[in-house]
Amino acid sequence: MHDLLTSLANWIASTRLSLFFQTTEGLIAASQSIHILAISVVFGSGLMISLRLLGIGASGRTVSRLASTLLPWMGWALLVLLLTGLLQLVAEPVRELGTTAFWLKMGMLVCVLALNVWFGRTVRARAAVWDSAATRPASARLFAVVSLLLWVGIVLCGRLIAYTWQQ
Amino acid sequence: MTIDQLLTLIEHTALATRVREGDWWFPLDECLHVLSIVTVFGSILMMDLRLVGLASRDSAVTRLTKEVLPYTWIAFAFAVITGAIMFISKAKVYWHNPQFELKFLFMALAAANMLVFHFGVFRRVADWDDALPPPPAARLAGALSISLWIAVIFFGRWIGFTT
């Protein structure tokens, strides 16, 4: 690990807040459980949107209706992910900041967030074009595949943090 | 044969030994298990929130069951397979783990809730497919399902901290 990151992680670990998180029985397990519940909302929603764009599922609703139903849920769940993720970062900073899987996860997260903001805006602005399979741009399918792969990668890297960090 | 003898037998199968002794078999299997359960819970939640009357209100209930539940079942099948692979690697440990028992208790309750719903108010779904709010029995089934699956995920995660 980079020296600066090591110092930062060690400093966070020594703060009173971190010590409180570390010593509160069951807190990390509870936070991780809520984290998994929230990623279920994000992953389930992302999966349905991707499948709809690929023409496989959720055919009962137009793309714009599905997006306006699911994107707000994804947004709130992402807020929960951020809060529980921050708690876990403060509680176990060395484990998170020193692990490649963590940084890979963060990198993929930034990409998928940017993609979804683009998707949400585009669909709202050009609902009619996106709702018809005939006029939907090819970028819709690309978005569907890439964002789904990114969510899968994020979930996998998240779990792998626990197995790849060096004490 | 006692249950522990049976569990020991399971632990000594080739697959169980490989998962237990390999560096990456268990973590990778666990990753796939997490992917499966987030799909199970994410899709069930969509269905349950519709039954409660809180989300997807523009979709008929039967439309949503057709769109969502196939993915729930596919993901559930993966969760069972990947979960079984984790279980056999340390069968005795899991069998005697209280959190593991509670997880399966809550899964059994979720299954019972689903059966009561399916053979109860869902038989007359044609009468309330688009009705908002849905009938009390459907709303109760949805709310119970959400609560029970949350408990399943909590105890599932807790197993990792107690084994």
Side-chain angles (χ1 to χ4, degrees):
Chain A
M1 191 179 2
H2 196 278
D3 285 348
L4 197 68
L5 271 181
T6 313
S7 315
L8 178 68
N10 286 331
W11 173 75
I12 295 174
S14 69
T15 58
R16 286 177 65 181
L17 186 66
S18 178
L19 291 170
F20 170 70
F21 288 163
Q22 291 167 38
T23 51
T24 306
E25 181 101 33
L27 183 69
I28 293 175
S31 175
Q32 287 187 0
S33 298
I34 297 167
H35 203 74
I36 295 176
L37 291 171
I39 199 114
S40 302
V41 174
V42 172
F43 190 80
S45 304
L47 180 67
M48 294 311 281
I49 289 173
S50 285
L51 291 172
R52 178 70 184 84
L53 290 172
L54 292 171
I56 302 169
S59 50
R61 280 178 279 185
T62 60
V63 168
S64 61
R65 262 169 99 178
L66 196 66
S68 64
T69 302
L70 296 180
L71 287 178
W73 284 92
M74 288 176 89
W76 287 111
L78 278 163
L79 182 68
V80 175
L81 286 165
L82 182 73
L83 293 174
T84 50
L86 269 175
L87 189 153
Q88 285 148 221
L89 177 69
V90 171
E92 300 179 306
V94 181
R95 159 179 162 146
E96 311 283 347
L97 296 177
T99 310
T100 310
F102 171 79
W103 291 107
L104 207 56
K105 178 182 174 180
M106 290 302 115
M108 288 191 285
L109 181 62
V110 170
C111 295
V112 83
L113 286 181
L115 278 175
N116 272 278
V117 168
W118 167 81
F119 168 73
R121 286 187 179 173
T122 311
V123 168
R124 216 174 310 137
R126 305 172 67 212
V129 177
W130 276 66
D131 283 347
S132 160
T135 55
R136 197 177 302 139
S139 55
R141 284 172 168 270
L142 191 63
F143 165 80
V145 173
V146 173
S147 61
L148 191 56
L149 288 176
L150 286 170
W151 286 126
V152 169
I154 286 167
V155 173
L156 298 186
C157 278
R159 188 73 289 252
L160 286 177
I161 292 170
Y163 289 100
T164 52
W165 79 294
Q166 315 274 320
Q167 202 156 12
Chain B
M1 182 165 34
T2 67
I3 187 72
D4 273 0
Q5 284 172 321
L6 176 67
L7 295 169
T8 304
L9 219 58
I10 290 171
E11 284 178 359
H12 281 92
T13 56
L15 181 63
T17 307
R18 184 170 292 183
V19 174
R20 186 172 54 249
E21 291 174 1
D23 282 340
W24 287 106
W25 279 82
F26 192 92
L28 291 178
D29 184 59
E30 193 184 3
C31 279
L32 295 178
H33 192 66
V34 172
L35 263 184
S36 307
I37 58 163
V38 296
T39 310
V40 169
F41 183 71
S43 58
I44 280 186
L45 188 64
M46 275 179 217
M47 198 62 240
D48 289 340
L49 286 170
R50 176 62 185 82
L51 291 179
V52 175
L54 277 177
S56 299
R57 292 160 66 98
D58 54 358
S59 285
V61 169
T62 51
R63 177 98 223 178
L64 212 57
T65 56
K66 285 195 194 76
E67 284 180 2
V68 172
L69 292 186
Y71 299 107
T72 312
W73 284 111
I74 293 168
F76 187 74
F78 272 99
V80 169
I81 295 167
T82 51
I85 290 173
M86 284 195 281
F87 174 78
I88 61 170
S89 73
K90 288 182 283 185
K92 277 203 297 290
V93 171
Y94 289 122
W95 186 266
H96 297 291
N97 177 271
Q99 284 73 23
F100 184 87
E101 289 168 5
L102 282 168
K103 174 181 176 174
F104 276 79
L105 170 69
F106 279 103
M107 245 191 319
L109 291 173
N113 176 57
M114 182 184 73
L115 288 173
V116 168
F117 169 74
H118 195 81
F119 293 107
V121 69
F122 191 68
R123 293 177 77 147
R124 301 183 304 276
V125 67
D127 299 336
W128 54 274
D129 215 1
D130 291 300
L132 284 168
R139 303 177 72 191
L140 178 67
L144 272 174
S145 174
I146 294 172
S147 315
L148 292 168
W149 280 104
I150 287 176
V152 170
I153 289 187
F154 259 84
F155 286 115
R157 184 68 285 249
W158 207 351
I159 294 169
F161 285 85
T162 51
T163 53

